[in-house]
Amino acid sequence: MTNKHLKPLLLAASVTFALAACGKQEQAAAPAPASTAPAPAATTASAAKPTSVFDASELDSGINACQDFNGFVNAKWVAANPIPNDRTSWGAFHQLAEKSLNTQHDIVDDASKNVAQAKAGSIEQKIGYLYQAGMDQDAINKLGYDPIKPKLDKIAALKSSSDVAKYITDAFAEGDQQVFNFGSGADFKDASNQIGFANQAGLGLPTPDYYTDAKYADLRTAYKAYIAKSLTLAGVSDADAKKQADDVLAFETKLAGSSLSPTQLRDTDNEYHFVTVAEADKVTPHFKWEDFFKAQGVTIDNGFSLSQPKFFTGFDKLLASAPVSQWQAYLRFHTIDDASPYLSTAFQDNRFDFFGKTLSGQPEQKPLWKRVLGTVNVSMGQALGQLYVAKEFTPEAKQRAQELVTNVREALKDRIQHLDWMSDATKQKALDKWNKFLPKIGYPDHWRSWDDLTIKQGDYYGDVMAAAKFNYQWDIGHIGKKTDRTEWGMTPQTVNAYYDPSTNTINFPAAILQPPFFYANGDDAINYGGIGAVIGHESSHGFDDQGAQFDGDGNKADWWTAQDKSQFKARSGKLVDQFNGYAPLKDKPDLHVNGQLTLGENIADLGGLNVAYDALQDALKKNATEAQQKIDGYTQDQRFFLSWARVWRNSTREKQAELYLNIDPHAPASLRAIGAPSNMPAFADAFQCKTTDPMVRAGDKQVKIW
């Protein structure tokens, strides 16, 4: 897993395999300074007469845009494009992600076929070996669970709680993280320095509530059955497997009692708790942190973040009180569960039956090539990104995107300067943060070295574990060093974007800089409503309920006056109320969006769309012909909002949708299509909506923040 102290604020829930799962990503050189002058307006549009890049025939004329804008833009498309059986969601993001996957497939397939001719030790050879091994299902099936027998034997030999603690410590050193997560990140108090962060983990179900809430009783039963079958596949007798499954569920239920909810984890006070090693040992007297750090090869000078003390207190209590046999059952199951994607078909199918079918409602497992490609992305994502960029992304595209970023950022600066509710003192601090933004476009200018990673031909599980150890060691190797703001936390082939508060960077991978987000020859309205709003979204994250707690240098600092902070909380509270009122599942009207969990993303949507709209107006002022021109019968303002809604076209299976409501800091896509526009008078003007229309939040209901 990504062991970031403060989770990067993503544009959307992950829709591809491209998020690397072991540590941080590679480095990129800084673009032009923040003080760069705005690019010439309307740089995104062709000099010739604009051509349509929006299919107006997809609009549903039977739905009034002022009544249901998402339905007006997306209902016909959703009805005509059912969710593929190997997915739980399908929409604009997923279509573009599929395109990226197909490109990546060509790359890894070529690497596999030409591995004999590849330069020894090259990333092409290593990716070729890894993909080739994963695709050899017959060889994997013959091995059964042999690859994990050494780990299972070590677990079987445990005799005391000190043995358990040592096993966990030694497993971490091999890149096999159990019970909690550990990695590097910027110190909240001095973001120029990297420190260690220990964070809660260890649960198999999505959130702590799943272990106790009566409405998840059936899922707990199914989870226990999955645990038992996993154990029997690894040679445990049926009777013993059932007993161990009871032990595992009981163990995780206790661990869940010490774990924080997703909403609680959005509180930055719950993401950082700096302690000395001696202080940490007092929290966990049965787990010695000095021994742990020595085994990892990490030197801790002043201390590290034991981010959720409540969790680690509970972890220590289990070390002291849980029978060794219960610890063995827990570690045995999670070893099997973690390894299942890389073992025989029986293990892969068993895992999919629970996590795919039962939990998420996905009818079919993804084809083998997609699953193995996912492993390549987890293991060597940035290396694959290097090959992807060479094939798919040009320097010219990077420059065009940079121009858009500059224009949207200038619009954000203007909005900050003209806020009527913020004092000059706080505005100056906000502008200082704005000035220190570091935009990163497309891909790193400097790629990470993979020379020290050994990938062996025909050893799939061994290769996966070698990459896990390599990436873990690379990550924790940052501890004690200076923060490098140019490093990337996302691969170029990822269809997403993110803001990182600890580095004050906005990041736009190459894969998202394509239609329907960005058109090289599209009209400005479409581009500003698409990628422009994405840029505005990520920039606005710097000033959402989390980002606003960090200054321009990435330090957690209070730069607000008391009155301004009160105003911000009051305005944000209205956005919480707005989204709390949404119940997106027709058959489950009592299930609502969690407005507090999704607040950061909703602030970023509202701020980002307003900023992008302002940037469009600036561009149109300098291009009167385009400003007055209709395309397919729609004005530039209308096309701007049409483009925004199209980005969020999506349908999701009910089980997955319910799961997202519990764990995802993003509101459902259908609500993101309407949530921000309904607060903008510009939308009502563009479509001539009345104040009584559902798409118009007027008076006290209207939310205005940035």
Side-chain angles (χ1 to χ4, degrees), residues 633-705:
Y634 291 94
T635 67
Q636 287 287 290
D637 277 16
Q638 289 174 327
R639 287 173 66 77
F640 170 83
F641 289 108
L642 293 174
S643 181
W644 165 259
R646 179 176 61 172
V647 163
W648 299 112
R649 61 175 37 161
N650 179 83
S651 54
T652 300
R653 300 187 191 281
E654 186 174 284
K655 286 185 177 181
Q656 183 66 66
E658 183 173 351
L659 178 61
Y660 279 156
L661 288 178
N662 293 327
I663 66 172
D664 191 1
H666 305 83
S670 60
L671 300 178
R672 298 182 74 176
I674 65 173
S678 68
N679 284 301
M680 294 175 63
F683 174 84
D685 291 343
F687 289 92
Q688 298 180 325
C689 302
K690 301 186 292 290
T691 57
T692 55
D693 286 331
M695 276 300 301
V696 179
R697 297 181 66 82
D700 291 341
K701 291 185 177 180
Q702 187 181 76
V703 184
K704 299 178 182 178
I705 304 177

Coordinates of all heavy atoms in Angstrom, one line a residue, residues 633-705:
G633 N -25.5 24.5 -31.7 CA -26.7 25.3 -31.1 C -26.4 25.7 -29.7 O -27.4 26.2 -29.0
Y634 N -25.3 25.4 -29.1 CA -25.0 25.7 -27.7 C -23.9 26.8 -27.6 O -22.9 26.8 -28.3 CB -24.6 24.5 -27.0 CG -25.7 23.5 -26.8 CD1 -25.9 22.4 -27.8 CD2 -26.6 23.6 -25.8 CE1 -26.9 21.5 -27.7 CE2 -27.7 22.7 -25.7 CZ -27.8 21.7 -26.6 OH -28.9 20.8 -26.5
T635 N -24.2 27.7 -26.6 CA -23.2 28.8 -26.4 C -22.0 28.3 -25.7 O -21.9 27.1 -25.2 CB -23.8 29.9 -25.5 OG1 -24.1 29.3 -24.2 CG2 -25.2 30.4 -26.1
Q636 N -20.9 29.1 -25.6 CA -19.7 28.7 -25.0 C -20.0 28.4 -23.5 O -19.4 27.4 -22.9 CB -18.7 29.8 -25.1 CG -18.1 29.9 -26.5 CD -17.1 28.7 -26.8 OE1 -16.1 28.6 -26.3 NE2 -17.6 27.9 -27.7
D637 N -20.8 29.2 -22.8 CA -21.1 28.9 -21.4 C -21.8 27.6 -21.3 O -21.5 26.8 -20.3 CB -22.0 30.1 -20.8 CG -21.1 31.3 -20.4 OD1 -20.0 31.3 -20.8 OD2 -21.7 32.1 -19.7
Q638 N -22.8 27.3 -22.1 CA -23.5 26.1 -22.1 C -22.5 24.9 -22.3 O -22.6 23.9 -21.6 CB -24.6 26.0 -23.1 CG -25.8 27.0 -22.7 CD -26.8 27.0 -23.8 OE1 -26.5 26.9 -25.0 NE2 -28.1 27.2 -23.4
R639 N -21.7 25.0 -23.3 CA -20.7 23.9 -23.6 C -19.7 23.7 -22.5 O -19.3 22.6 -22.2 CB -20.0 24.2 -24.9 CG -20.9 24.1 -26.1 CD -20.2 24.6 -27.4 NE -19.0 23.7 -27.8 CZ -19.1 22.5 -28.3 NH1 -20.3 22.0 -28.6 NH2 -18.0 21.8 -28.6
F640 N -19.4 24.8 -21.8 CA -18.5 24.6 -20.6 C -19.2 23.7 -19.6 O -18.5 22.7 -19.1 CB -18.3 26.0 -20.0 CG -17.6 26.0 -18.6 CD1 -16.2 25.9 -18.5 CD2 -18.4 26.0 -17.5 CE1 -15.6 25.8 -17.3 CE2 -17.7 26.0 -16.2 CZ -16.3 25.9 -16.1
F641 N -20.4 23.9 -19.2 CA -21.1 23.1 -18.2 C -21.4 21.7 -18.8 O -21.4 20.7 -18.1 CB -22.4 23.7 -17.7 CG -22.1 24.9 -16.9 CD1 -22.3 26.2 -17.3 CD2 -21.6 24.7 -15.6 CE1 -22.1 27.3 -16.5 CE2 -21.3 25.8 -14.8 CZ -21.5 27.1 -15.2
L642 N -21.7 21.6 -20.1 CA -21.9 20.3 -20.7 C -20.7 19.4 -20.6 O -20.7 18.2 -20.3 CB -22.3 20.4 -22.2 CG -23.7 21.1 -22.5 CD1 -23.9 21.3 -24.0 CD2 -24.8 20.2 -22.0
S643 N -19.5 20.1 -20.9 CA -18.3 19.3 -20.8 C -18.0 18.8 -19.4 O -17.6 17.7 -19.2 CB -17.1 20.3 -21.2 OG -15.9 19.6 -21.2
W644 N -18.3 19.7 -18.4 CA -18.1 19.3 -17.0 C -19.0 18.1 -16.7 O -18.5 17.1 -16.1 CB -18.5 20.4 -16.1 CG -18.7 20.0 -14.6 CD1 -19.9 19.9 -14.0 CD2 -17.7 19.8 -13.6 NE1 -19.7 19.5 -12.7 CE2 -18.3 19.5 -12.4 CE3 -16.3 19.8 -13.7 CZ2 -17.6 19.1 -11.3 CZ3 -15.6 19.5 -12.5 CH2 -16.2 19.2 -11.3
A645 N -20.2 18.1 -17.0 CA -21.1 17.0 -16.7 C -20.7 15.7 -17.4 O -20.8 14.6 -16.9 CB -22.6 17.4 -17.0
R646 N -20.2 15.9 -18.7 CA -19.9 14.7 -19.4 C -18.7 13.9 -18.8 O -18.6 12.7 -18.8 CB -19.5 15.1 -20.9 CG -19.0 13.9 -21.7 CD -18.7 14.2 -23.1 NE -17.7 15.2 -23.3 CZ -17.1 15.5 -24.4 NH1 -17.6 15.0 -25.5 NH2 -16.2 16.4 -24.5
V647 N -17.8 14.7 -18.2 CA -16.7 14.1 -17.4 C -17.2 13.1 -16.4 O -16.6 12.1 -16.1 CB -15.8 15.2 -16.8 CG1 -14.9 14.6 -15.7 CG2 -14.9 15.9 -17.9
W648 N -18.3 13.4 -15.8 CA -18.8 12.6 -14.7 C -19.9 11.7 -15.1 O -20.6 11.1 -14.2 CB -19.3 13.6 -13.5 CG -18.2 14.4 -13.0 CD1 -18.1 15.8 -13.2 CD2 -17.1 14.0 -12.4 NE1 -16.9 16.2 -12.6 CE2 -16.3 15.1 -12.1 CE3 -16.6 12.7 -11.9 CZ2 -15.0 15.0 -11.5 CZ3 -15.4 12.7 -11.3 CH2 -14.6 13.8 -11.0
R649 N -20.1 11.4 -16.4 CA -21.0 10.4 -16.8 C -20.5 9.0 -16.2 O -19.4 8.7 -16.4 CB -21.2 10.3 -18.3 CG -20.0 10.0 -19.1 CD -20.3 9.9 -20.6 NE -21.3 10.8 -21.0 CZ -21.5 11.2 -22.3 NH1 -20.6 10.7 -23.2 NH2 -22.4 12.0 -22.6
N650 N -21.4 8.3 -15.6 CA -21.0 7.1 -14.9 C -22.2 6.3 -14.4 O -23.2 6.8 -14.1 CB -20.1 7.5 -13.7 CG -19.6 6.3 -12.9 OD1 -18.6 5.7 -13.3 ND2 -20.3 5.9 -11.9
S651 N -22.0 5.0 -14.4 CA -23.0 4.1 -13.7 C -22.2 3.1 -12.9 O -21.1 2.7 -13.3 CB -23.9 3.4 -14.7 OG -23.2 2.7 -15.7
T652 N -22.7 2.8 -11.7 CA -22.0 1.9 -10.8 C -23.0 0.9 -10.2 O -24.1 1.1 -10.0 CB -21.5 2.8 -9.6 OG1 -20.6 3.8 -10.1 CG2 -20.7 1.9 -8.6
R653 N -22.5 -0.4 -10.1 CA -23.3 -1.4 -9.5 C -23.6 -1.1 -8.1 O -22.9 -0.5 -7.4 CB -22.5 -2.8 -9.6 CG -22.2 -3.2 -11.0 CD -21.6 -4.6 -11.1 NE -21.0 -4.8 -12.4 CZ -21.7 -5.1 -13.5 NH1 -23.0 -5.3 -13.4 NH2 -21.1 -5.3 -14.7
E654 N -24.8 -1.5 -7.7 CA -25.3 -1.1 -6.4 C -24.4 -1.5 -5.2 O -24.2 -0.6 -4.3 CB -26.7 -1.7 -6.2 CG -27.4 -1.1 -4.9 CD -28.8 -1.6 -4.7 OE1 -29.7 -1.0 -5.4 OE2 -29.0 -2.5 -3.9
K655 N -23.9 -2.7 -5.2 CA -23.0 -3.1 -4.1 C -21.8 -2.2 -4.0 O -21.4 -1.8 -3.0 CB -22.6 -4.5 -4.2 CG -23.7 -5.5 -3.9 CD -23.2 -6.9 -3.9 CE -24.2 -8.0 -3.5 NZ -23.7 -9.3 -3.5
Q656 N -21.2 -1.9 -5.2 CA -20.0 -1.0 -5.2 C -20.4 0.4 -4.8 O -19.6 1.1 -4.1 CB -19.4 -1.0 -6.6 CG -18.1 -0.2 -6.8 CD -17.0 -0.8 -6.0 OE1 -16.5 -1.9 -6.3 NE2 -16.5 -0.1 -4.9
A657 N -21.6 0.8 -5.3 CA -22.0 2.2 -4.9 C -22.2 2.3 -3.4 O -21.8 3.4 -2.8 CB -23.3 2.5 -5.6
E658 N -22.8 1.3 -2.8 CA -22.9 1.3 -1.3 C -21.6 1.3 -0.6 O -21.4 2.0 0.4 CB -23.8 0.1 -0.9 CG -24.1 0.2 0.6 CD -25.0 -0.9 1.1 OE1 -25.6 -1.6 0.2 OE2 -25.2 -1.1 2.3
L659 N -20.6 0.5 -1.2 CA -19.3 0.5 -0.6 C -18.6 1.8 -0.7 O -18.0 2.3 0.3 CB -18.5 -0.6 -1.3 CG -17.0 -0.7 -0.9 CD1 -16.9 -1.2 0.6 CD2 -16.3 -1.8 -1.7
Y660 N -18.8 2.5 -1.8 CA -18.2 3.8 -2.0 C -18.7 4.8 -1.0 O -18.0 5.7 -0.5 CB -18.4 4.3 -3.4 CG -17.5 3.8 -4.5 CD1 -17.9 3.7 -5.8 CD2 -16.2 3.3 -4.2 CE1 -17.0 3.2 -6.8 CE2 -15.3 2.8 -5.1 CZ -15.7 2.8 -6.4 OH -14.9 2.3 -7.4
L661 N -20.0 4.7 -0.7 CA -20.6 5.7 0.2 C -20.0 5.5 1.6 O -19.9 6.5 2.4 CB -22.1 5.4 0.4 CG -23.0 5.8 -0.8 CD1 -24.5 5.5 -0.6 CD2 -22.9 7.3 -1.1
N662 N -19.5 4.4 1.9 CA -18.8 4.1 3.2 C -17.4 4.5 3.3 O -16.8 4.8 4.3 CB -19.0 2.6 3.6 CG -20.4 2.2 3.8 OD1 -21.2 3.0 4.3 ND2 -20.8 1.0 3.5
I663 N -16.7 4.4 2.1 CA -15.2 4.5 2.2 C -14.6 5.6 1.3 O -13.5 6.1 1.5 CB -14.5 3.2 1.8 CG1 -14.8 2.9 0.3 CG2 -15.0 2.1 2.7 CD1 -14.0 1.7 -0.2
D664 N -15.4 6.1 0.3 CA -14.8 7.0 -0.7 C -15.0 8.4 -0.4 O -16.1 8.9 -0.1 CB -15.5 6.7 -2.1 CG -14.7 7.4 -3.2 OD1 -13.7 8.0 -3.0 OD2 -15.2 7.2 -4.4
P665 N -13.9 9.2 -0.3 CA -14.0 10.7 0.0 C -14.6 11.5 -1.2 O -14.7 12.7 -1.1 CB -12.6 11.1 0.3 CG -11.7 10.1 -0.5 CD -12.5 8.8 -0.4
H666 N -15.0 10.8 -2.3 CA -15.6 11.4 -3.4 C -17.1 11.1 -3.4 O -17.5 10.0 -3.2 CB -15.0 10.9 -4.8 CG -13.5 11.0 -4.8 ND1 -12.6 10.1 -4.3 CD2 -12.7 12.0 -5.4 CE1 -11.4 10.5 -4.5 NE2 -11.4 11.6 -5.2
A667 N -17.9 12.1 -3.7 CA -19.3 11.8 -3.9 C -19.6 11.1 -5.2 O -18.7 11.0 -6.1 CB -20.1 13.2 -3.9
P668 N -20.7 10.4 -5.3 CA -21.0 9.7 -6.5 C -20.9 10.6 -7.7 O -21.3 11.8 -7.6 CB -22.4 9.2 -6.3 CG -22.6 9.0 -4.8 CD -21.7 10.2 -4.3
A669 N -20.5 10.1 -8.9 CA -20.2 10.9 -10.1 C -21.5 11.7 -10.5 O -21.4 12.8 -10.9 CB -19.7 10.1 -11.2
S670 N -22.6 11.0 -10.4 CA -23.9 11.7 -10.9 C -24.2 13.0 -10.1 O -24.8 13.9 -10.6 CB -25.1 10.7 -10.8 OG -25.2 10.3 -9.4
L671 N -23.7 13.0 -8.8 CA -23.9 14.1 -7.9 C -22.8 15.2 -8.2 O -23.1 16.4 -8.0 CB -24.0 13.7 -6.5 CG -25.1 12.7 -6.1 CD1 -25.0 12.3 -4.7 CD2 -26.5 13.3 -6.5
R672 N -21.7 14.8 -8.5 CA -20.6 15.7 -8.8 C -21.0 16.5 -10.1 O -20.6 17.7 -10.3 CB -19.3 15.0 -9.0 CG -18.8 14.3 -7.7 CD -17.5 13.6 -7.9 NE -16.4 14.6 -7.9 CZ -15.1 14.3 -7.9 NH1 -14.8 13.0 -7.9 NH2 -14.2 15.2 -7.9
A673 N -21.7 15.9 -11.0 CA -22.1 16.6 -12.2 C -23.0 17.7 -11.9 O -23.1 18.7 -12.7 CB -22.8 15.6 -13.2
I674 N -23.8 17.7 -10.8 CA -24.8 18.7 -10.5 C -24.5 19.5 -9.3 O -24.9 20.6 -9.2 CB -26.2 18.1 -10.4 CG1 -26.2 17.2 -9.1 CG2 -26.6 17.3 -11.6 CD1 -27.6 16.6 -8.8
G675 N -23.7 19.0 -8.4 CA -23.5 19.6 -7.1 C -22.9 21.0 -7.2 O -23.4 22.0 -6.6
A676 N -21.8 21.1 -7.9 CA -21.1 22.5 -8.1 C -21.9 23.4 -9.0 O -22.2 24.6 -8.6 CB -19.7 22.3 -8.6
P677 N -22.4 23.0 -10.2 CA -23.1 23.9 -11.0 C -24.4 24.4 -10.4 O -24.8 25.6 -10.6 CB -23.5 23.0 -12.2 CG -22.5 22.0 -12.3 CD -22.1 21.7 -10.8
S678 N -25.0 23.7 -9.5 CA -26.3 24.1 -8.9 C -26.0 25.3 -7.9 O -26.9 26.0 -7.6 CB -26.9 23.0 -8.1 OG -26.2 22.6 -7.0
N679 N -24.7 25.5 -7.6 CA -24.4 26.7 -6.7 C -23.9 27.9 -7.5 O -23.5 28.9 -6.9 CB -23.3 26.3 -5.7 CG -23.9 25.4 -4.6 OD1 -24.7 25.9 -3.8 ND2 -23.4 24.2 -4.4
M680 N -23.9 27.8 -8.8 CA -23.3 28.8 -9.7 C -24.4 29.6 -10.4 O -25.1 29.0 -11.3 CB -22.3 28.2 -10.6 CG -21.1 27.6 -10.0 SD -20.0 26.8 -11.1 CE -19.4 28.1 -12.2
P681 N -24.5 30.9 -10.2 CA -25.5 31.7 -11.0 C -25.2 31.6 -12.5 O -26.1 31.7 -13.3 CB -25.3 33.1 -10.4 CG -24.7 32.9 -9.1 CD -23.9 31.7 -9.1
A682 N -23.9 31.4 -12.8 CA -23.5 31.3 -14.3 C -24.2 30.1 -14.9 O -24.6 30.2 -16.1 CB -22.0 31.2 -14.4
F683 N -24.4 29.1 -14.2 CA -25.2 27.9 -14.8 C -26.6 28.3 -15.0 O -27.2 28.0 -16.1 CB -25.1 26.7 -13.9 CG -25.9 25.5 -14.3 CD1 -25.4 24.7 -15.3 CD2 -27.2 25.4 -13.8 CE1 -26.2 23.6 -15.7 CE2 -28.0 24.3 -14.3 CZ -27.5 23.4 -15.2
A684 N -27.3 28.9 -14.0 CA -28.7 29.3 -14.1 C -28.9 30.2 -15.3 O -29.8 30.1 -16.1 CB -29.2 29.9 -12.9
D685 N -27.9 31.2 -15.5 CA -28.0 32.1 -16.6 C -27.8 31.4 -17.9 O -28.5 31.7 -18.9 CB -26.9 33.2 -16.4 CG -27.2 34.1 -15.2 OD1 -28.4 34.1 -14.7 OD2 -26.3 34.8 -14.8
A686 N -26.9 30.5 -18.0 CA -26.6 29.8 -19.2 C -27.8 29.0 -19.8 O -28.0 29.0 -21.0 CB -25.4 28.9 -19.1
F687 N -28.5 28.4 -18.9 CA -29.6 27.6 -19.3 C -31.0 28.2 -18.9 O -32.0 27.5 -19.1 CB -29.5 26.2 -18.6 CG -28.3 25.4 -19.2 CD1 -27.1 25.4 -18.6 CD2 -28.5 24.6 -20.4 CE1 -26.0 24.7 -19.2 CE2 -27.5 23.9 -20.9 CZ -26.2 23.9 -20.3
Q688 N -31.0 29.4 -18.5 CA -32.2 30.2 -18.3 C -33.1 29.5 -17.3 O -34.3 29.3 -17.5 CB -33.0 30.4 -19.6 CG -32.2 31.3 -20.6 CD -32.9 31.5 -21.9 OE1 -33.7 30.7 -22.3 NE2 -32.7 32.7 -22.4
C689 N -32.5 29.0 -16.2 CA -33.2 28.3 -15.1 C -33.9 29.3 -14.2 O -33.4 30.4 -14.0 CB -32.3 27.4 -14.3 SG -31.4 26.2 -15.3
K690 N -35.0 28.9 -13.6 CA -35.7 29.7 -12.6 C -35.2 29.4 -11.2 O -34.6 28.3 -11.0 CB -37.2 29.4 -12.7 CG -37.8 29.7 -14.1 CD -39.3 29.5 -14.0 CE -39.7 28.1 -13.8 NZ -39.5 27.3 -15.0
T691 N -35.4 30.3 -10.3 CA -34.9 30.1 -8.9 C -35.5 28.9 -8.2 O -35.0 28.4 -7.3 CB -35.1 31.3 -8.1 OG1 -36.5 31.7 -8.1 CG2 -34.3 32.5 -8.6
T692 N -36.7 28.5 -8.7 CA -37.4 27.3 -8.1 C -36.9 26.0 -8.7 O -37.4 24.9 -8.3 CB -38.9 27.5 -8.3 OG1 -39.2 27.7 -9.7 CG2 -39.4 28.7 -7.5
D693 N -36.1 26.0 -9.7 CA -35.7 24.8 -10.4 C -34.7 24.0 -9.5 O -33.9 24.6 -8.7 CB -35.0 25.0 -11.7 CG -36.0 25.4 -12.8 OD1 -37.1 25.0 -12.7 OD2 -35.6 26.2 -13.7
P694 N -34.7 22.7 -9.5 CA -33.8 21.9 -8.7 C -32.3 22.2 -8.9 O -31.5 22.0 -8.0 CB -34.1 20.4 -9.1 CG -35.5 20.5 -9.6 CD -35.7 21.8 -10.3
M695 N -32.0 22.6 -10.1 CA -30.6 22.9 -10.4 C -30.1 24.3 -10.0 O -29.0 24.7 -10.3 CB -30.3 22.7 -11.9 CG -30.0 21.3 -12.3 SD -28.6 20.5 -11.5 CE -27.3 21.6 -12.0
V696 N -31.0 24.9 -9.2 CA -30.6 26.3 -8.7 C -30.7 26.3 -7.2 O -31.8 26.1 -6.6 CB -31.5 27.4 -9.3 CG1 -31.2 28.7 -8.8 CG2 -31.5 27.4 -10.8
R697 N -29.6 26.5 -6.5 CA -29.6 26.6 -5.1 C -29.5 28.1 -4.8 O -28.4 28.7 -5.0 CB -28.4 25.9 -4.5 CG -28.5 24.4 -4.7 CD -27.3 23.7 -4.1 NE -27.3 23.8 -2.6 CZ -28.1 23.0 -1.8 NH1 -28.8 22.0 -2.3 NH2 -28.0 23.2 -0.5
A698 N -30.6 28.7 -4.5 CA -30.6 30.2 -4.3 C -30.7 30.6 -2.8 O -30.9 29.7 -1.9 CB -31.9 30.7 -5.0
G699 N -30.4 31.8 -2.6 CA -30.5 32.4 -1.2 C -29.6 31.7 -0.3 O -28.4 31.5 -0.6
D700 N -30.1 31.4 0.9 CA -29.2 30.8 1.9 C -28.7 29.4 1.6 O -27.7 29.0 2.2 CB -30.0 30.7 3.3 CG -30.3 32.1 3.9 OD1 -29.6 33.0 3.5 OD2 -31.2 32.2 4.7
K701 N -29.3 28.7 0.6 CA -28.9 27.4 0.2 C -27.6 27.4 -0.7 O -26.9 26.4 -0.8 CB -30.0 26.6 -0.4 CG -31.1 26.2 0.5 CD -32.2 25.4 -0.2 CE -33.3 24.9 0.7 NZ -34.3 24.1 0.0
Q702 N -27.4 28.6 -1.3 CA -26.3 28.7 -2.2 C -25.0 28.7 -1.5 O -24.8 29.4 -0.5 CB -26.4 29.9 -3.1 CG -25.4 30.0 -4.2 CD -25.5 31.3 -5.0 OE1 -25.1 32.4 -4.5 NE2 -26.1 31.2 -6.2
V703 N -24.1 27.9 -1.9 CA -22.8 27.8 -1.3 C -21.7 28.6 -2.0 O -21.5 28.3 -3.2 CB -22.3 26.3 -1.1 CG1 -21.0 26.2 -0.3 CG2 -23.4 25.5 -0.4
K704 N -21.1 29.5 -1.4 CA -20.0 30.3 -2.0 C -18.8 30.2 -1.0 O -18.8 30.6 0.1 CB -20.4 31.7 -2.1 CG -21.6 32.0 -3.0 CD -21.9 33.5 -3.0 CE -23.2 33.8 -3.9 NZ -23.5 35.2 -3.9
I705 N -17.7 29.6 -1.6 CA -16.5 29.5 -0.7 C -15.3 30.3 -1.5 O -15.0 31.4 -1.2 CB -16.1 28.1 -0.4 CG1 -17.3 27.4 0.3 CG2 -14.9 28.0 0.5 CD1 -17.1 25.9 0.6

